[in-house]
Amino acid sequence: MNNRHYNIYFHTHTVSGIVISVVLFVIFFAGSFSFFRDEIINWERSESTAITKEIQLDYNSALKDLDKKHILHGRNITISKPSIEERVAIYMEGTKDTLAPAKQKEGSFFYLDTKNFKSYTYEESYSLGELLYRLHFLAQIPYPVGYYLSGFTALFFLFAIVTGLLLHWKKIVSNFYIFRPKEKLKTLWTDAHTALGMIGLPFQFVYAVTGAFFMIKLLIVAPAVMALYNGDDKKLYQELEYNDPDYAYEYKKLASPFNINELVSKAKNNWKDFEITRVIVQNYGDVNMHVLVEGELLSHKKFVGVGKVVYRVSDGKEIAKKDPISQNNYLDAVKTVLYRIHFGDYGGYALKIISFVLGIITCFVIISGVMIWLVARQKNNMPEKKRRFNAAVVRIYLAICLSMYPITALAFIGSKIFYPLSKSNLFALYFGGWLLLAIFFIIKKNDGFTNKFCLISGSILGFLIPITNGIVSGDWFWTSFTHNKIQIFFIDVFWIALASISLYVAYHLKPKETVS
């Protein structure tokens, strides 16, 4: 590689990496915990449910209960299961009956407990798991700014990965095995950055591509909508199979009784290992009432196995069917594969743990890259003013990034002690505490102190998490294991392991002199 190309790749890699470093760290740190979103939600609520994506609900009883509260006649009702928990998501459109009162024409979204049919608004159902999941794509920043910011960060991260790969291409094998912790500081950070970067390269590439796709796909498809569909986005979504068929409302009440449970069970029995993930009831109580039952095959049976059956309720006739074994097309494969490799939901706890470790490794790669940048700019021939400015920039970076560990552990304790913690209070605890901690470290002006304090305090709080859970709920990790409360048991043991590792690292760190 000639010097010109090397310099282009080097500066592109450095600039793109430094610009996005803080945001990228937040995305990967929160994203790593998001692999356990379902477990965190159940741990927080002291609930444990069957580990399956399938909706487990008595549809007949649930709809009758909802009909008493909301009057469902003429509505379209969508029942889905966004995460593995005891609640399902319910979206009700306003009734299609033009003669109905105005209140019935209003749509609503809420969560429904599958056991007692108690409903919760989104705010009432908000949890720490949801906060961390949404933080990993910056959803707390008003839409669409947060989405686009996370999407373009993923895109810039892709540039950093590609340029970094090109920089190290000729020495990709030899550099992978080099690690010299006893050499000078820059060498230590460079070796760690290169070796760990190569270990996590496939993982990082996948998440850069899928993250950019999920967050900025609207900008990607916008030109296509304008050019190919004359600005009609409905046609595009119809071709992408995002829109469900809409059956006309006939203004005639369905005289015969109907059994939704029977139709869902009938759809499930079409294929072995088929899980029901979404049920849509259209024109509830009308003569033209239809039920759409969607699901997918177990991932270890068929990685892309999306199926659907549509029933006309008046006579129970099957009017449309999509076979998950033989009728999945290229579009189904793209949507399913991108979703599954991003969320890592197809390999059980083993894949989630591996993904978490690779996510944390990526966080270390980001930090080590920032430290390389700092050490390279602390040479004696550089003006003192610039050296201090560079050190201040990195101090702010480290304060924001490293303080995420103890504040996340503290949020676990707070969400358990004060459950149910409202969305606003959870925000105040997490983001308020994060801000105060970051300001403290910035004022302290000691990167070594920041690093060690965050590791030790995060470890201590991490050990307190299972203790807090045991005291508050009585679910000590050994009792939750014996009672088969796997999700609660996992979070407790996970924090014990994580706190042990971070405490070990903290007590084996050697302080390095930095510019203040």
Side-chain angles (χ1 to χ4, degrees), residues 175 177-184 187-192:
N175 284 358
Y177 292 100
I178 295 175
F179 187 66
R180 298 160 288 184
K182 294 183 180 180
E183 294 290 332
K184 60 183 180 180
T187 302
L188 187 152
W189 286 121
T190 303
D191 288 350

Side-chain angles (χ1 to χ4, degrees), residues 22 25-26 395-404 434 438 442:
V22 173
F25 184 97
V26 172
R395 186 182 307 120
I396 294 169
Y397 278 19
L398 293 179
I400 294 171
C401 295
L402 297 180
S403 56
M404 283 193 77
W434 188 8
I442 292 169

Side-chain angles (χ1 to χ4, degrees), residues 17 52 57 114 164 186 225 306 376 415 424:
T52 174
L57 177 69
T114 56
K186 185 182 178 183
V225 172
V306 181
S415 64
S424 58

Side-chain angles (χ1 to χ4, degrees), residues 99-120:
L99 301 177
K103 189 174 182 180
Q104 292 180 34
K105 296 178 182 178
E106 297 174 358
S108 62
F109 174 85
F110 54 90
Y111 291 94
L112 186 74
D113 191 297
T114 56
K115 293 182 177 179
N116 57 25
F117 303 143
K118 184 179 179 181
S119 59
Y120 302 85

Side-chain angles (χ1 to χ4, degrees), residues 253-413:
K253 191 172 182 179
L254 183 63
S256 58
F258 52 85
N259 190 327
I260 306 297
N261 286 346
E262 188 178 296
L263 295 176
V264 173
S265 179
K266 186 178 177 182
K268 180 176 173 60
N269 291 332
N270 275 291
W271 306 283
K272 187 180 179 182
D273 299 316
F274 187 68
E275 292 186 323
I276 307 301
T277 57
R278 192 166 74 134
V279 174
I280 303 171
V281 180
Q282 290 200 2
N283 306 318
Y284 186 91
D286 186 71
V287 70
N288 201 31
M289 179 178 173
H290 286 72
V291 174
L292 291 75
V293 184
E294 297 181 1
E296 55 190 37
L297 297 174
L298 293 173
S299 58
H300 65 274
K301 297 291 183 179
K302 194 171 188 293
F303 198 72
V304 180
V306 181
K308 179 191 295 186
V309 186
V310 181
Y311 296 103
R312 186 168 56 219
V313 176
S314 58
D315 55 8
K317 185 178 180 182
E318 179 185 296
I319 62 171
K321 185 177 182 180
K322 181 176 183 177
D323 193 314
I325 300 173
S326 60
Q327 292 183 312
N328 279 184
N329 53 30
Y330 173 76
L331 189 60
D332 293 318
V334 170
K335 290 191 293 186
T336 303
V337 169
L338 285 174
Y339 180 91
R340 282 189 162 164
I341 63 176
H342 187 85
F343 287 90
D345 62 349
Y346 56 90
Y349 280 116
L351 181 60
K352 287 185 177 184
I353 293 169
I354 292 170
S355 298
F356 175 86
V357 171
L358 289 172
I360 297 301
I361 285 176
T362 304
C363 291
F364 186 81
V365 170
I366 296 164
I367 291 294
S368 61
V370 172
M371 296 309 296
I372 292 170
W373 179 86
L374 173 64
V375 174
R377 283 155 182 76
Q378 296 303 306
K379 296 176 182 177
N380 293 329
N381 60 353
M382 184 169 286
E384 181 71 14
K385 188 176 180 180
K386 285 189 177 181
R387 293 172 63 192
R388 290 186 177 278
F389 174 78
N390 293 336
V393 169
V394 172
R395 186 182 307 120
I396 294 169
Y397 278 19
L398 293 179
I400 294 171
C401 295
L402 297 180
S403 56
M404 283 193 77
Y405 180 43
I407 204 62
T408 300
L410 180 64
F412 270 81
I413 294 172

